[in-house]
Amino acid sequence: MQHTRPEDIQTDLAFIEKMTAMRHDIHAHPETAFEEVRTSAIVAAYLEGLGIAVHRGLGKTGVVGTLKGTRPGQKTIALRADMDALHITEETGVPYSSTVPGKMHACGHDGHTTMLLGAAEKLAATPDFAGTVHFVFQPAEEGGGGADAMIKDGLFELFPTDAIYGVHNGPMDPLGLLTTRVGPYTSASDDWEIVFEGTGGHGAAPEKSTDPTVAAGQFMATLGNVVSRHVALTDWAVVSIGHVAGGERESANIIPAKVMVAGTARSYAPEVRDTLEREITRLAEGCAMACGVAAHVDYERGYPPLVNTCDEVAVTGRAHMASVGEALTMTDAPAIGASEDFAYYLEKIPGAYVSIGNGDGPGSAFVHTPKFDFNDALIPIGVAYWMNVVAEELGAT
């Protein structure tokens, strides 16, 4: 199986127009976590039209297509795209803007889905490889844990897989720049909430009350010590406050009975994650005890850290270099603080997750913002990348 370059894809103008129109259609009809009914129906019908065997309903709205190569081979790989949108009101002004109030494809999953469908079409037309490819179209990446849901529904039992690969567009990175790394690449994402509870009272007579605002203030002022005094310099972690609530603005002379402080904790190592949970809890309870109030701590673990495996990262590097060259291939990139539920797959089997630049020109925007739009120029680059991953993994005789 030969390698493919984006130019090879771009010369097929009818294909590019079709893929672009598909991306725009998905973009105009965004569906959020586990509600991707229309999108998954489009995906399943398209795969079936290519002669690819389709399994529907994994993780509620997930779709898996299976394509066997024409040459004998036992190895099986999976290629994954996410399908869900976000609860954001679109402000791009593009002709294919969201038709659903309050929802939009603000992270590029419309493009991820399109790139993988395009690769499926090209591979189905000439399945000159040895082994099997599973095309995994996943729901609910945006906080819903769709990867975990598909696994629990039997993804790897129904479709035994030797390695899995994932792609995300790289917002504001140069078009086509691949970044990834061996080991931890995206962080664990945990949410925490603490309610400091006292009696409240009149602001003119604080001695007659127990005041949770003092405990909350002390907690917020010293939260940075959780990382600076309990996480080793050679490790990485960050704890941030994102929400504070207490009392009523119209009654500023009243000491509230409760103050809530909430935020996020990010880390890469399991032992550091344990440390953050333990020390945030201990700090909150200590501040509360010192002020004579109670602290109710809720620490909720979200997505685990995403840990790429060595051999599979090497595959991604060779595949992308065959597409666009060494200058746009970085397999030793720094880890990033975002989280991604592809991590659940990598807890089960080897694999690698990469980012490919969406472009940094005029009008580019960061993901999860009202002005973000996937760059259609990335479609042929992504299709070529996927085909070259298959060539690297299953192309040998």
Side-chain angles (χ1 to χ4, degrees):
M1 182 178 178
Q2 295 182 336
H3 287 102
T4 304
R5 293 183 60 82
E7 302 92 287
D8 303 328
I9 306 297
Q10 289 169 321
T11 57
D12 189 346
L13 297 181
F15 174 79
I16 292 296
E17 290 177 0
K18 178 173 62 176
M19 291 295 104
T20 302
M22 175 179 291
R23 206 280 293 181
H24 292 181
D25 177 68
I26 295 173
H27 185 95
H29 300 90
E31 297 172 303
T32 47
F34 298 116
E35 297 175 350
E36 306 92 342
V37 176
R38 181 182 187 273
T39 307
S40 63
I42 290 171
V43 166
Y46 199 85
L47 294 173
E48 288 171 340
L50 300 174
I52 293 175
V54 171
H55 184 104
R56 305 173 189 240
L58 272 184
K60 191 172 182 180
T61 50
V63 177
V64 179
T66 300
L67 178 65
K68 295 184 180 296
T70 55
R71 289 192 272 126
Q74 299 301 312
K75 190 167 188 178
T76 299
I77 64 171
L79 314 179
R80 174 270 210 170
D82 38 20
M83 301 185 292
D84 57 321
L86 286 156
H87 290 278
I88 297 177
T89 299
E90 184 162 359
E91 298 178 4
T92 62
V94 296
Y96 49 87
S97 291
S98 170
T99 61
V100 183
K103 297 182 181 182
M104 71 170 288
H105 272 289
C107 202
H109 297 186
D110 49 340
H112 304 166
T113 297
T114 301
M115 291 191 301
L116 189 54
L117 284 174
E121 177 171 339
K122 292 294 186 181
L123 290 165
T126 311
D128 181 29
F129 56 87
T132 302
V133 179
H134 297 309
F135 303 97
V136 178
F137 293 86
Q138 180 206 302
E141 187 280 324
E142 299 289 359
D148 193 39
M150 292 190 79
I151 292 169
K152 289 176 178 176
D153 261 4
L155 175 65
F156 293 132
E157 289 76 27
L158 292 168
F159 306 99
T161 302
D162 296 305
I164 188 166
Y165 294 89
V167 169
H168 201 289
N169 72 89
M172 303 179 75
D173 283 347
L175 180 65
L177 174 66
L178 180 143
T179 55
T180 190
R181 72 192 303 268
V182 176
Y185 182 42
T186 71
S187 72
S189 173
D190 298 338
D191 293 329
W192 51 266
E193 175 185 294
I194 299 155
V195 177
F196 294 95
E197 183 174 9
T199 62
H202 200 294
E207 75 282 1
K208 298 183 184 301
S209 67
T210 53
D211 187 350
T213 67
V214 177
Q218 291 179 355
F219 172 82
M220 289 187 283
T222 54
L223 180 62
N225 291 347
V226 167
V227 173
S228 68
R229 290 297 175 265
H230 298 283
V231 176
L233 183 64
T234 51
D235 289 321
W236 181 96
V238 67
V239 179
S240 298
I241 297 169
H243 183 71
V244 181
E248 300 292 339
R249 179 63 187 90
E250 294 77 11
S251 301
N253 63 328
I254 295 175
I255 297 171
K258 296 180 181 180
V259 176
M260 188 261 281
V261 182
T264 187
R266 305 291 173 115
S267 59
Y268 292 117
E271 60 273 16
V272 174
R273 199 179 197 187
D274 293 340
T275 295
L276 296 181
E277 180 173 4
R278 182 185 67 246
E279 294 303 326
I280 288 173
T281 300
R282 185 163 70 171
L283 176 63
E285 291 174 347
C287 290
M289 181 178 294
C291 296
V293 300
H296 308 287
V297 181
D298 180 14
Y299 192 101
E300 183 176 349
R301 297 199 176 201
Y303 295 168
L306 185 156
V307 183
N308 287 328
T309 47
C310 183
D311 290 346
E312 286 65 36
V313 168
V315 167
T316 70
R318 294 194 301 269
H320 200 62
M321 279 191 280
S323 295
V324 297
E326 185 174 357
L328 287 174
T329 305
M330 184 186 301
T331 56
D332 58 353
I336 57 179
S339 61
E340 160 64 56
D341 78 344
F342 193 84
Y344 289 115
Y345 300 127
L346 298 184
E347 288 185 325
K348 302 295 183 182
I349 62 173
Y353 184 81
V354 306
S355 170
I356 303 180
N358 194 53
D360 57 355
S364 61
F366 204 70
V367 291
H368 292 219
T369 65
K371 295 188 182 298
F372 176 83
D373 188 23
F374 182 88
N375 188 348
D376 291 325
L378 183 52
I379 293 174
I381 298 172
V383 171
Y385 168 78
W386 277 134
M387 295 179 69
N388 289 340
V389 168
V390 175
E392 286 292 329
E393 281 279 40
L394 307 179
T397 55

